Amino acid sequence: MASKEKSNEVVLALPLSRLIVKTVRVPEENRGDPSSYVAPILQAMSPYPDEPLTVSCEVMRESERGLVVVAAALPESAADDIAGALDARKLNVTRIDALALGTLRGIWGTLGQGDARRLVLIGGPDCISAIVIDGDMPSAIRAFSADSDIRREIMLSLLEAEDFGGAMDLSEIVCVGDVKADGLDAFAPTRKIEVGEDAALVGVAERSLEPSALNALPASWKEFLDETRFKAKLKGRLCVAGGIWAAIMLVLFGVPMAYGYMADHQKALCREHARQYRAVAEMRDKVKLVQKYSDHARGALEIMKAVSDRLPQGITLNSWSFRRDEGVKVSGEADEAEFVYKFKDNMVEAGSEDGGDSVFAEVLLNGPSAGRGGKQKFDLDCNYETEEDQ
């Protein structure tokens, strides 16, 4: 069956005679990795004991004691002819399922309910598939050729089911497809179900959409599939990159005059923008300069008046250093140290009497320290608020 998305990718449905299939109980401690537990069991059943198997498990039932799974594997040596046919048609297999399980899915609704044991015989071109179902799960799955003794094969299937699920009466035998039902009434009542030619493929197609369904794809086939998909993606991306490169070359070499015109136009716009930027920057510097010298609030006379108005009695200033952009520094001496501290507090509050911010952002006092004649010497450094602080 070809994939709808990729015509060279198919799901392969094989008769049970090509696969190794068995129903296995997996203990609770192996619930996380049932394939590792089942692998030695299927390996012992393989006609190629030295060839490692890629085992896939489909969970049929879960309980506190563990899992019941249908495990399947495809020995690569038993599928050399299939691999050759697939290579000849350049097909890549994404999944491998059993035809009998696809048919069983299609007739499941007609088998009836309950915990009874039923035997389903599915005829096919290569083999007859025998599936013993206990209630809602298979307990034994076998395949045998149409030339075999069918009564003997049924007995072996029932013994395998009894070994797996315990003793139970066989309620009926259901024959699907080309199966000779003569003499089977000795085991249980027999009925026949007719299905369409594509019933098995339809069931396999439905199962292929379920991630939990069996996939007996060997490891080497999966590696080849991944490699093929990678090459296809790489080829597609290279084609896209080649198309983009061709378009770029067409633009660069197909319209050189238009490209040159656009480049010259952009250069002219850049030069005009730079000229306008320089003009605005120069005007901004001039405005700042005018604002700086027209701001009399920080002029020397205003600052001198501010210092004089806040100079307490008992203090004599000896030096005055005014820096227009930074602040003012004064040195003096006082009769008492408390006059110095009061002078500092007055300078800290300068300009904030009317509710505004202080003129000086920082007022640093060095002193007072005792000098000659009992005078207290000090230095007071008053700094403006910087632009970063503003």
Side-chain angles (χ1 to χ4, degrees), residues 150-201:
I150 189 170
R151 296 173 59 85
R152 174 180 177 277
E153 297 296 341
I154 290 176
M155 185 63 68
L156 292 176
S157 298
L158 294 176
L159 289 174
E160 182 178 345
E162 184 174 341
D163 182 60
F164 180 84
M168 187 182 301
D169 292 336
L170 183 64
S171 62
E172 67 172 343
I173 298 176
V174 179
C175 298
V176 183
D178 186 15
V179 178
K180 295 180 180 180
D182 299 339
L184 300 185
D185 291 335
F187 293 96
T190 303
R191 65 185 173 107
K192 191 172 183 64
I193 298 178
E194 297 295 337
V195 295
E197 295 181 358
D198 296 333
L201 298 180

Side-chain angles (χ1 to χ4, degrees), residues 88-283:
R89 296 192 178 187
K90 297 182 179 180
L91 297 177
N92 298 320
V93 180
T94 60
R95 298 181 61 86
I96 295 180
D97 203 349
L99 274 170
L101 295 181
T103 303
L104 184 63
R105 184 187 186 95
I107 66 170
W108 188 262
T110 65
L111 295 181
Q113 304 296 325
D115 296 332
R117 173 169 289 173
R118 299 176 177 86
L119 172 62
V120 179
L121 298 177
I122 303 173
D126 294 342
C127 66
I128 296 176
S129 302
I131 305 176
V132 181
I133 300 176
D134 289 349
D136 59 351
M137 70 172 185
S139 58
I141 301 177
R142 300 180 69 252
F144 54 90
S145 66
D147 298 333
S148 301
D149 184 354
I150 189 170
R151 296 173 59 85
R152 174 180 177 277
E153 297 296 341
I154 290 176
M155 185 63 68
L156 292 176
S157 298
L158 294 176
L159 289 174
E160 182 178 345
E162 184 174 341
D163 182 60
F164 180 84
M168 187 182 301
D169 292 336
L170 183 64
S171 62
E172 67 172 343
I173 298 176
V174 179
C175 298
V176 183
D178 186 15
V179 178
K180 295 180 180 180
D182 299 339
L184 300 185
D185 291 335
F187 293 96
T190 303
R191 65 185 173 107
K192 191 172 183 64
I193 298 178
E194 297 295 337
V195 295
E197 295 181 358
D198 296 333
L201 298 180
V202 173
V204 171
E206 293 177 356
R207 286 172 51 80
S208 66
L209 300 177
E210 302 172 358
S212 59
L214 280 175
N215 181 14
L217 189 68
S220 62
W221 290 29
K222 186 177 185 307
E223 292 175 2
F224 181 78
L225 173 65
D226 294 340
E227 181 181 350
T228 304
R229 285 179 172 177
F230 174 77
K231 289 180 179 179
K233 290 181 179 178
L234 180 61
K235 182 179 179 180
R237 291 173 182 174
L238 289 176
C239 291
V240 173
I244 295 174
W245 179 84
I248 293 174
M249 293 299 102
L250 179 62
V251 171
L252 290 179
F253 296 101
V255 286
M257 294 181 63
Y259 178 78
Y261 169 79
M262 293 174 61
D264 293 340
H265 180 66
Q266 290 298 324
K267 289 180 181 178
L269 291 178
C270 291
R271 286 194 295 269
E272 179 63 20
H273 181 269
R275 186 189 65 78
Q276 293 178 1
Y277 175 80
R278 288 193 298 270
V280 172
E282 291 175 1
M283 181 59 67

Side-chain angles (χ1 to χ4, degrees), residues 349-362:
E349 299 173 357
S352 61
E353 295 86 348
D354 56 355
D357 295 332
S358 176
V359 174
F360 303 106
E362 186 179 45

